[in-house]
Amino acid sequence: MNETIKIFHGPQHPGVTGNMSMELDLDGETIVKATTHVGYLHRGFEKLIERRTAIQAFTIVCRICVPEPDPNEENFARGVEELAGLTISERAKYIRVMVLEMARLQAHYLWMAGQGGSIGHEVVPQWAVGERDFILDLFEQLTGGRVYHMYIYPGGVKRDLPDGFLDRLRDLLDTLERRLPEYDRIFFDNAGVKKRLQNVGVVKRDEAIANGYTGPVIRACGIQRDVRRDSPYLVYDQLEFDVPTQTGCDAYARALVRRAEMDQSIRILRQIIDRMPAGEIQCKLPKHRKFKLPKGETFVQTESARGAYGFYMAGDDSEYLRRLQVRGPSIVHAYTLLEPLLVGAQLSDVALIMNSLGICPPEIER
């Protein structure tokens, strides 16, 4: 009779496969049971925000997902605006889309670095982290911060574009677009990468629909779902872009979806550069202590690099939110999906599967 052994994958490693812990029961190197444990990273955001005014709280939401904080800022700002009846300018909308697509692009580079490192491909992490840094350079010029930006603000954005910013962004897009075929050659078309990712972490199409999976996970099952297209916000309905899909349903299909999305983000950013309107970046707001949210509720969504991101927000005629609830992709991807998906997988595939799902642990214990 075989005896199982129990090990913990994380939280001692950096990145998504480390700041949450997977309790694994193993028969040899085959996983027979997987249990998710969270709470090893910052948490409790919903209650922290409810105990601060709406203006104070905007600095907190970006920390819910470190690899891509900007969708949280946009959700929070747009939710406050809907509750307060604020209308932002076209220029502010275009700048927000620019920020969101830059954030999506750098998040995909970070994912590529993590997945390459999990496979043992040493070149890809170095390249991807380096080119992500060029995007972070632009974020630093725009917002003053490289990771946390606190830039998308109720009523618009915090400051206008620096002189020459759009030209620098266009030059960077040229560089990234020229370099991406090299990633295809050494990573996405690499026989070793295909062997490690194909037929690993297979998600059934009907389960993806029934359980509300989102982002690259559901699009890798051949389902064309994207909040930007299905429920347009800001100026996405004025922009041309495709929603890439694959039908392999495995970790490799999810990788190909992300790769194609990088091309689409560059395509969107080029349109933003060409169409950026003039105008104000911030509508007039009441004084901080007089900024009250009327009684009412709203639900807003953005499409992050990892999938649909939703904020439920309710006001009660005070400067505080009566209720905030965050629904990020990790809630279904790290529990409903990850635990059964790991059963039958090999120990060496755990990091690959987790990376392919796009998990941010603070979204779970929020």
Side-chain angles (χ1 to χ4, degrees), residues 74 81 87-99 151-153 155-157 160 234-235 276-283:
E74 205 285 324
E81 288 155 6
T87 301
I88 68 172
S89 70
E90 284 296 298
R91 182 173 178 83
K93 291 178 182 179
Y94 269 83
I95 293 175
R96 284 186 180 184
V97 171
M98 180 193 73
V99 168
Y151 177 74
I152 297 177
Y153 187 77
V157 295
D160 210 340
L234 299 174
V235 294
M276 181 67 70
E280 298 295 325
I281 59 162
Q282 179 76 45
C283 69

Side-chain angles (χ1 to χ4, degrees), residues 2 24 30 33 43 67 111 125 165 182 224 236 262 267 286 313 337 345:
N2 292 334
L24 304 175
T30 302
K33 183 181 178 182
R43 52 186 175 166
W111 163 83
F165 183 85
E182 288 295 302
Q224 199 175 57
Y236 278 109
M262 297 174 80
R267 180 182 177 188
M313 302 169 70
L337 177 55

Side-chain angles (χ1 to χ4, degrees), residues 15 20 34 49 66 74 83 113-114 162 165 196 225 244 286-287 294 297 302:
M20 61 185 281
I49 290 169
V66 180
E74 205 285 324
L83 287 173
F165 183 85
R196 290 300 309 277
R225 285 190 184 172
K287 291 184 178 180
E297 58 183 7
T302 63

